[in-house]
């Protein structure tokens, strides 16, 4: 079965980014000139996704408006003859009916946010993208994962090696390599202390999941941090179905973290010909003070 639907959980509180996230979802923070959520939505459409499901919380209005038409701005751009910008803002509005919004009434955890989309997903495999994990790559991660899914016909999570002392920030795997860039997962632990972590292989915010996951998410068992964790449901699913990890190529930025977010801005801005030279000049200048 084709992966047609993608869930975007955007209901987290984003406490690490307060006050910026007081009235606005973290996923609306811009990297260069695009909100994080737009990078993720573009990645999903490029992977053949036909329907996107936003699980929102507070601060949903800006996000809804971002993917809707803005007749006022279009009118102004049209009158000023700014055709490139006009094209850009028109293109970012998905076809009518391709976006569905549902609400997570309380931020009970990532697993709970995904469970909120259960009836919209129904009985088919689906993708999950966490927009705060931004990946700079020539091979968009979800497209690669969809290809792997077509062959493996099982749940897949994007994975990468992290520093040993950082395991308490991730879902960490006990896994073995089965082919190039693919590991088969034996077990997983959410945010283990470095001395208890089974490895330094961490799950990153891209998943393809079979609908069976909803059975386990529906148990609403609380895990690390008192939250309903996706990792715990995946761990339970492992007893019934295989789950693979895909070691993606590219640089991942944790944009939920302030330093990670600044690094993403710098890395993405350096890719823009209109900014690159200015930035390099500035970096060289301030480097002398380090
Ligand atoms: P995080 O673990 O980064 O949590 O969520 P957070 O609340 O957004 O941020 P901090 O830690 O307080 O700064 C990972 C992803 O899961 C979503 C978030 O929006 C983010 O995309 N999420 C998390 C939900 O949708 N609902 C939740 O209850 C928790």
């Amino acid at each position: 079965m084709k992966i047609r639907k993608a869930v975007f959980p955007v209901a987290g509180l984003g406490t690490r980014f307060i006050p910026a996230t007081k009235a606005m979802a973290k996923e609306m923070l811009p990297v260069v000139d695009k909100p994080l959520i737009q990078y993720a939505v573009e990645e999903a459409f490029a992977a053949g996704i036909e329907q996107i499901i936003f699980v929102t919380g507070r601060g949903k209005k800006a996000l809804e408006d971002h993917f809707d038409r803005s007749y006022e701005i279009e009118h102004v751009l049209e009158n000023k003859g700014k055709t490139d910008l006009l094209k850009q803002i028109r293109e970012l509005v998905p076809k009518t009916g391709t976006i569905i919004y549902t609400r997570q009434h309380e931020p009970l955890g990532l697993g709970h946010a995904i469970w909120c989309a259960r009836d919209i997903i129904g009985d088919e495999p689906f993708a999950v993208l966490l927009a705060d994990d931004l990946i700079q790559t020539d091979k968009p991660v979800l497209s690669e994962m969809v290809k792997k899914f077509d062959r493996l016909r099982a749940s897949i999570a994007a994975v990468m090696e992290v520093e040993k002392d950082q395991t308490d920030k991730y879902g960490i795997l006990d896994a073995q390599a089965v082919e190039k860039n693919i590991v088969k997962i034996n077990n997983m632990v959410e945010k283990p202390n470095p001395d208890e972590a089974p490895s330094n292989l961490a799950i990153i915010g891209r998943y393809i999941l079979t609908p069976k996951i909803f059975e386990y998410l529906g148990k609403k068992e609380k895990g690390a941090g008192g939250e309903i964790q996706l990792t715990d449901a995946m761990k339970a699913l492992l007893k019934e179905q295989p789950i693979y990890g895909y070691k993606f190529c590219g640089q991942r930025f944790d944009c939920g973290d302030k330093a990670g977010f600044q690094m993403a801005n710098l890395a993405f801005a350096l890719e823009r010909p209109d900014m690159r030279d200015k930035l390099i000049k500035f970096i060289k200048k301030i480097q002398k003070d380090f």
Side-chain angles (χ1 to χ4, degrees):
M1 195 182 252
K2 193 176 174 297
I3 306 297
R4 300 187 307 129
K5 302 182 182 182
V7 178
F8 297 77
V10 289
L13 291 179
T15 52
R16 285 168 290 168
F17 257 102
I18 287 174
T21 48
K22 183 165 175 267
M24 179 188 81
K26 166 174 69 176
E27 290 77 6
M28 283 303 292
L29 290 169
V31 166
V32 188
D33 51 9
K34 267 203 283 191
L36 286 167
I37 192 70
Q38 194 183 326
Y39 288 94
V41 164
E42 285 171 0
E43 182 181 336
F45 281 132
I49 296 296
E50 294 163 12
Q51 189 173 70
I52 60 182
I53 298 136
F54 289 124
V55 181
T56 63
R58 33 179 264 308
K60 144 187 133 125
K61 190 169 180 309
L63 194 129
E64 271 193 357
D65 286 347
H66 186 74
F67 290 104
D68 199 358
R69 289 195 66 176
S70 167
Y71 291 101
E72 194 188 353
I73 298 179
E74 286 181 31
H75 180 71
V76 172
L77 294 177
E78 211 158 13
N79 282 349
K80 291 192 169 171
K82 298 196 169 177
T83 42
D84 280 357
L85 276 179
L86 185 63
K87 189 166 171 274
Q88 252 187 57
I89 67 154
R90 279 189 177 149
E91 276 175 2
L92 80 82
V93 181
K95 268 194 294 187
T96 308
T98 48
I99 304 187
I100 296 177
Y101 294 91
T102 189
R103 192 101 177 180
Q104 185 189 25
H105 299 295
E106 263 184 282
L108 298 177
L110 171 62
H112 180 258
I114 295 168
W115 178 79
C116 292
R118 67 201 178 283
D119 287 339
I120 305 168
I121 297 294
D123 192 24
E124 60 181 280
F126 62 101
V128 176
L129 293 95
L130 307 189
D132 49 356
D133 272 333
L134 184 60
I135 302 162
Q136 196 175 36
T137 176
D138 299 335
K139 286 186 166 182
V141 177
L142 193 66
S143 299
E144 292 302 305
M145 288 172 69
V146 166
K147 282 186 218 157
K148 307 286 177 210
F149 175 85
D150 285 344
R151 198 162 42 78
L152 298 165
R153 313 304 294 170
S155 298
I156 310 172
V159 301
M160 69 175 229
E161 281 169 16
V162 296
E163 297 291 333
K164 276 250 183 291
D165 61 355
Q166 297 291 305
T167 57
D168 57 355
K169 296 190 172 64
Y170 300 90
I172 298 290
L173 304 181
D174 164 9
Q176 91 240 16
V178 285
E179 57 184 76
K180 191 170 174 246
N181 297 333
I182 296 284
V183 296
K184 187 161 187 287
I185 300 174
N186 304 317
N187 200 358
M188 51 181 89
V189 196
E190 182 63 23
K191 302 188 171 72
N193 288 325
D195 49 346
E196 286 158 14
S199 73
N200 66 336
L201 201 57
I203 300 185
I204 300 305
R206 301 288 181 279
Y207 307 82
I208 291 178
L209 297 167
T210 58
K212 190 92 188 157
I213 195 76
F214 290 120
E215 268 178 40
Y216 295 101
L217 291 173
K219 293 186 197 287
K220 298 193 189 152
E221 282 164 12
K222 290 188 176 161
E227 295 195 347
I228 299 167
Q229 299 286 358
L230 174 60
T231 309
D232 295 337
M234 288 173 73
K235 184 177 163 160
L237 179 66
L238 264 179
K239 296 196 180 102
E240 277 189 74
Q241 294 182 354
I243 306 181
Y244 293 92
Y246 165 60
K247 285 188 175 179
F248 59 91
C249 308
Q251 172 75 46
R252 171 259 185 182
F253 298 96
D254 177 5
C255 291
D257 168 77
K258 279 183 259 198
F261 177 72
Q262 300 307 332
M263 289 178 215
N265 267 288
L266 187 57
F268 278 73
L270 284 170
E271 280 192 333
R272 301 280 183 93
D274 58 329
M275 299 167 97
R276 191 179 163 80
D277 291 348
K278 278 187 216 157
L279 282 172
I280 290 176
K281 206 168 148 194
F282 178 68
I283 293 166
K284 280 186 181 157
K285 190 171 151 225
I286 60 169
Q287 212 180 9
K288 293 186 194 115
D289 305 331
F290 294 155

